Amino acid sequence: MGTNSISIALAFVCYLSGMVYVGWRYMKRNESATDFFLGGRSVGPWMTALSAEASDMSGWLLMGLPGVAYLTGMKEAFWTALGLIIGTYLNWLIVAKPLRKYTIHTNNAITIPEFFTNRFKDSSRIISLVSVVFILIFFTIYTASGFVACAKLFNSVFNMPYLFALLLGIAIILAYTLLGGYMAVCATDFIQGSLMFVALVLTGVIMVFALGGPADAVAAMSRFGEQFLNPFVSGPEDSFGTMEIISALAWGLGYFGMPHILVRFMSLRSNNEVKLSRRIAMVWVIIAFAAALLVGAFGKAFLLPLVLGSGNADTVFIQAIIKIYPAFIAGMFLCAILAAAMSSADSQLLVAASAFSRDIFQGFLKRGASEELTLRISRWTVAAVAVIAFFIALDPNSSIFGLVSYAWAGFGATFGPLVLLALFWRGITRNGALAGLICGGITVLIWKPLSGGIFEIYEILPGFLMCLIAAVIVSLCDRNKNAEMLAEFDSYRNLAD
């Protein structure tokens, strides 16, 4: 191992040791399931905002999105980013405050399946069961994308065998997630979100000025075609048309159904802090997306004579960092990529564990189980999901962007419409919610493998519409209106913010 590799490795060791230390520090604060999964609903606005965005963006922001921009230019990457920015804003604006208020009002629900069960007065708990099944399916895929990002990072920087790099990344993520629970995840996400932001922005700016400044950088990109910097250009050979733009914008729908983001809203200590959190989150998101697009698109010219193929385009940010910075600083900024992968994987593992332990174990298998036993089952669930995600991530040619897009569609279509209907429509019923869950989730699972014609549209859009339509139609036809549920909804709507 050369001097540069040793310096980078030292930076990694310092960073990772700090993350595990945070998990250890928070371990003794977990006295109940509410502490482990929601931090006792005592998280402040800054930590909530940065934790939500860091866990949201994952490794695909620093690897997947720049990789798409590097290969195909701004068009797909820009419209996807725009859809996500709009979705982020709307989620904070219309969902955050009502969700926190309603989950407290419905017997202090701490998971989305538990909220659905309490909201729809589902004594059979079948909604909870179906919800958890879809959560485990899609979070396993989502978690695998984070593992792939970690493995590609270690593989690219240290030339580790992919399998060893994958195992190392998994071990690190599991260490502090199992130790510290939600507060450890939030604290590490706050640090990681800050690191991701600085690394992206600084690298993007340096790349532009290394190419001679904005004007020279744009001129340098002209050799690759106008589409690399102009998301609105079209031509006879342009394969990214109206349907593709709609698909890219539809990414924004996913936010309404993301359990690992929604849980951040539920953990806020006060509804009065939602506005500040929203502003912090939006500034972070807009600047981070702009920087990611710059890194990906301008990386085409900046890295020459190095040319990345489709199999390793995800590493454009890695290669730019190695080229720009001294070894130790490069190591710290490369930790931002690890941070991005870790901040999502830890959140996804924790939400999957909370869904299983609270809604399956306590709800079906062992009702009345103690808090201590529930926490133990939660930690075993984290390990089990990680093992399955490991097998999905074994392929070194896995696309980070592809894995994230599938999981994102699954959550957005399965839960998004139901969250909105549960919060804002008095008339939705238990049977309508169940029909929506099943139709949305199955549509995504069936739609994804198909191709050609209408099936080229991103599966989140048909899945979201099927969930919404099924829930509304069945609810309107359902004569079994629960009086207690209606009274509770009216009571919730009358609560002061």
Side-chain angles (χ1 to χ4, degrees), residues 483-496:
E484 181 185 357
M485 182 180 72
L486 296 176
E488 185 177 76
F489 181 87
D490 293 336
S491 174
Y492 141 75
R493 295 293 286 178
N494 291 325
L495 288 174

Side-chain angles (χ1 to χ4, degrees), residues 122-307:
D122 181 24
S123 58
S124 68
R125 302 188 70 86
I126 190 67
I127 290 178
S128 179
L129 178 62
V130 174
S131 298
V132 172
V133 169
F134 283 122
I135 283 175
L136 292 176
I137 290 173
F138 293 120
F139 261 146
T140 302
I141 297 170
Y142 212 146
T143 302
S145 73
F147 291 170
V148 170
C150 288
K152 287 190 175 184
L153 173 63
F154 290 133
N155 176 257
S156 298
V157 175
F158 301 112
N159 292 318
M160 285 183 184
Y162 181 83
L163 178 59
F164 182 76
L166 179 62
L167 290 171
L168 178 61
I170 293 173
I172 293 163
I173 292 169
L174 285 179
Y176 71 84
T177 305
L178 289 172
L179 284 173
Y182 184 80
M183 285 302 296
V185 167
C186 278
T188 54
D189 283 357
F190 178 85
I191 298 168
Q192 290 166 170
S194 302
L195 182 59
M196 289 161 61
F197 184 85
V198 172
L200 264 177
V201 172
L202 190 58
T203 302
V205 170
I206 290 175
M207 285 175 63
V208 170
F209 283 95
L211 290 169
D216 289 339
V218 171
M221 292 302 299
S222 62
R223 76 185 76 172
F224 302 109
E226 191 180 355
Q227 78 278 6
F228 267 91
L229 293 180
N230 188 349
F232 302 97
V233 69
S234 60
E237 297 181 358
D238 186 16
S239 60
F240 200 85
T242 302
M243 183 177 291
E244 287 75 19
I245 290 175
I246 292 173
S247 291
L249 290 173
W251 276 73
L253 294 174
Y255 278 103
F256 303 123
M258 294 295 140
H260 60 299
I261 298 172
L262 298 174
V263 75
R264 263 62 183 180
F265 303 156
M266 295 158 61
S267 71
L268 263 170
R269 63 189 173 203
S270 169
N271 275 354
N272 295 329
E273 295 177 336
V274 169
K275 181 182 290 187
L276 176 58
S277 291
R278 180 174 72 241
R279 290 172 176 172
I280 297 167
M282 291 311 301
V283 170
W284 192 99
V285 165
I286 292 171
I287 297 177
F289 270 128
L293 293 175
L294 279 180
V295 168
F298 286 110
K300 196 82 171 178
F302 178 77
L303 293 178
L304 290 175
L306 177 64
V307 177

Side-chain angles (χ1 to χ4, degrees), residues 94-95 98 119 419-426 489 492-493:
I94 66 176
V95 172
R119 163 67 174 88
V419 169
L420 295 174
L421 292 172
L423 295 176
F424 300 109
W425 187 35
R426 187 176 186 268
F489 181 87
Y492 141 75
R493 295 293 286 178

Side-chain angles (χ1 to χ4, degrees), residues 18 20 88 159 198 207 253 361 374 398 435 442 446-447 468 494:
V20 174
T88 299
N159 292 318
V198 172
M207 285 175 63
L253 294 174
F361 182 73
T374 302
S398 297
I442 290 179
I446 294 175
W447 196 278
L468 183 63
N494 291 325

Side-chain angles (χ1 to χ4, degrees), residues 370-381:
S370 67
E371 293 289 317
E372 181 182 358
L373 179 59
T374 302
L375 286 177
R376 193 181 312 134
I377 294 299
S378 300
R379 292 187 165 107
W380 279 109
T381 305

